[in-house]
Amino acid sequence: MTKWLPKDLWIVIIGMVLLYTGLSFIWPFNMIYMTQELGMSTTDASLVLLINSGVGIISSIIGGLIFDRFSGFISLTIGTIILVLSTASLCFFHGFPFFIWNLWAVGIAMGMVFSGLYAAAGLTHPTGGRTGFNAIYVAQNIGVAVGPLLAGLLAKQGMSHVYIGSFVFAIIFAGYFFFFFHKIDWKSEKVNVETKHRKKGAKREFPTKLALCSFVLLLLTYLLCQLPHVQWQSNLSTYMTEIKGVTSSEYGNLWSLNGALIVLGQLILIPVVNRFKKYLLAQIYIGIVLFILSFVVAMNASVYSGFVLGMIFLTLGEMFAWPAIPTIAYQLAPKGAAGLYQGLVNGMATAARMLAPFLGAIVVQHLGGIKALFIGAFILLGCALVSITLQQILQKKDQQEKAALKISINQGNRK
């Protein structure tokens, strides 16, 4: 493993494991806790999550800008401090309305730290390619596997124990961060190829119109995929627990299964992906088709095992599609803007977490019930297939025009 992953990237990977393990104590239970413990309606709880994700989008972009203009260490330091303070407050104040305020503060921290860690994954891998982003994605899902499992055990003692566990992991992450992250070569001088992060004295590049349109389509594709995906964390959680009789513990186990499959599945999937790692479009196509299958299975599930099968398809779809998105974003980023581009990608995932619970609740309560929610998911995923196809067409056209311009300039210099 160390032969193909640099030491600095290993620091980022371990940090992501610690971070997401602690955060995974909180997010799977947000909707259930607000509706069942705080007595909020599904719509009101979804509105809280909408605002929470909104502040996360803003903090993701701010974190990316700080990363590019100053230092990744500075942006991550700010996010880490906010994380420790907000999870500490959550331990003592998780009634209404303090839970909501603390949740929003955690959202700010998540936006800054996640965008920073993903940008650092591109910075610390020599090629800035899929390998680095896949490694950080796997690390994130180790936390998904461990966090909800531990949280499920603590939840039996009361939700206050869950929030204490999250705070403990925030402290562990902060200690690890301040001890190890300063050792990372944030100026990227040791990387053997030029990265797209800003260096002192380097000129900032600007994207062409085609490249910018291509990036917008990439963000749209990510949003169209994430909007259905987040339903598994929000409205489908309510559907499973209140209508299909799935317990909170069993629901938490679904996300433990999700993380465990991602980690263990790398042994099988990495050789498969390596065979066509240059064909990112194919990976996203496969991922979207698997997402569609997950909803087909969930729509027809009448027992818990059906939702388990749906989660397996959802997880396989993630493993193909999610690492490919930041990889394409890195390819499209002009020099000096990698942090901003990764912040925007992370912000788009946060936008989905913001919009999906609220929009899904409206669909379920006012536009046709749970069947309408499934139909909407299929429509969005179909649109994602169209969007990513157009994105790749524009990206290839932009690359061809740049190559032609480069040839023209070289010929002119020879004359």
Side-chain angles (χ1 to χ4, degrees):
M1 293 283 284
T2 55
K3 292 182 179 180
W4 55 275
L5 291 183
K7 180 181 177 181
D8 284 355
L9 182 55
W10 273 110
I11 294 175
V12 178
I13 289 170
I14 296 172
M16 177 62 91
V17 172
L18 295 174
L19 174 73
Y20 219 84
T21 299
L23 290 175
S24 293
F25 276 58
I26 302 174
W27 64 262
F29 303 99
N30 282 336
M31 179 69 80
I32 295 173
Y33 180 72
M34 284 188 285
T35 55
Q36 297 183 6
E37 298 293 332
L38 298 183
M40 299 172 64
S41 68
T42 302
T43 303
D44 288 341
S46 298
L47 181 60
V48 170
L49 296 179
L50 186 151
I51 297 173
N52 178 63
S53 298
V55 298
I57 293 172
I58 297 172
S59 64
S60 291
I61 296 172
I62 293 174
L65 289 171
I66 294 173
F67 197 112
D68 288 332
R69 294 181 180 275
F70 299 101
S71 166
F73 186 77
I74 293 175
S75 66
L76 286 167
T77 297
I78 296 171
T80 300
I81 292 172
I82 297 174
L83 176 68
V84 171
L85 293 177
S86 59
T87 53
S89 181
L90 192 60
C91 287
F92 299 102
F93 308 105
H94 45 264
F96 184 87
F98 300 103
F99 172 84
I100 297 171
W101 300 340
N102 288 322
L103 187 65
W104 291 344
V106 172
I108 293 172
M110 286 175 61
M112 293 199 71
V113 177
F114 280 165
S115 63
L117 289 178
Y118 266 91
L123 174 72
T124 54
H125 194 273
T127 63
R130 191 189 195 279
T131 301
F133 292 115
N134 189 70
I136 200 71
Y137 168 72
V138 173
Q140 177 180 324
N141 284 282
I142 292 174
V144 173
V146 177
L149 181 62
L150 296 177
L153 297 175
L154 292 175
K156 296 178 181 179
Q157 309 299 321
M159 287 303 295
S160 60
H161 290 77
V162 173
Y163 301 133
I164 291 172
S166 179
F167 171 63
V168 169
F169 268 93
I171 291 293
I172 294 173
F173 170 76
Y176 175 84
F177 171 78
F178 287 111
F179 187 80
F180 287 102
F181 270 63
H182 68 89
K183 299 179 181 180
I184 293 176
D185 178 22
W186 294 104
K187 301 301 181 182
S188 190
E189 298 300 334
K190 294 180 181 178
V191 177
N192 56 27
V193 295
E194 188 175 13
T195 72
K196 294 186 176 182
H197 294 267
R198 190 173 186 181
K199 297 181 181 180
K200 188 175 181 180
K203 291 184 178 180
R204 179 179 292 274
E205 289 187 353
F206 295 94
T208 64
K209 290 183 180 180
L210 281 175
L212 187 59
C213 291
S214 178
F215 182 60
V216 170
L217 283 171
L218 178 68
L219 294 177
L220 177 62
T221 301
Y222 200 25
L223 179 65
L224 292 171
C225 289
Q226 284 278 10
L227 284 173
H229 183 278
V230 175
Q231 299 305 324
W232 279 82
Q233 304 170 18
S234 53
N235 292 288
L236 281 185
S237 70
T238 304
Y239 169 68
M240 284 185 267
T241 55
E242 293 185 358
I243 298 178
K244 292 298 182 179
V246 175
T247 66
S248 296
S249 177
E250 288 175 331
Y251 174 72
N253 289 338
L254 285 178
W255 290 105
S256 294
L257 173 64
N258 172 269
L261 283 174
I262 288 171
V263 175
L264 298 176
Q266 297 302 311
L267 300 175
I268 300 173
L269 192 62
I270 284 179
V272 175
V273 171
N274 283 340
R275 289 182 175 274
F276 57 101
K277 60 184 179 181
K278 294 182 179 179
Y279 304 101
L280 296 172
L281 178 62
Q283 294 175 38
I284 295 176
Y285 276 156
I286 293 171
I288 294 174
V289 170
L290 288 167
F291 288 152
I292 293 173
L293 288 175
S294 75
F295 281 96
V296 170
V297 172
M299 183 173 61
N300 294 286
S302 56
V303 294
Y304 181 64
S305 58
F307 294 109
V308 171
L309 180 59
M311 178 58 74
I312 291 173
F313 281 127
L314 187 79
T315 303
L316 291 174
E318 288 184 46
M319 292 167 70
F320 275 95
W322 283 178
I325 300 291
T327 305
I328 296 175
Y330 195 91
Q331 293 174 352
L332 292 171
K335 293 177 183 178
L340 174 60
Y341 271 50
Q342 293 303 321
L344 289 169
V345 168
N346 183 65
M348 194 54 57
T350 307
R353 289 192 290 270
M354 175 182 75
L355 295 171
F358 186 69
L359 294 177
I362 291 176
V363 170
V364 171
Q365 294 182 10
H366 304 291
L367 299 177
I370 194 66
K371 288 186 178 180
L373 184 69
F374 284 116
I375 292 172
F378 296 139
I379 292 173
L380 290 174
L381 291 169
C383 291
L385 289 171
V386 176
S387 178
I388 192 61
T389 302
L390 294 174
Q391 185 276 324
Q392 287 290 292
I393 291 173
L394 291 183
Q395 184 176 354
K396 289 180 180 178
K397 186 175 181 181
D398 180 60
Q399 290 171 345
Q400 291 170 355
E401 290 188 0
K402 287 179 179 177
L405 179 61
K406 187 175 181 180
I407 293 173
S408 177
I409 293 173
N410 290 336
Q411 291 176 345
N413 291 334
R414 290 174 185 174
K415 293 179 180 179

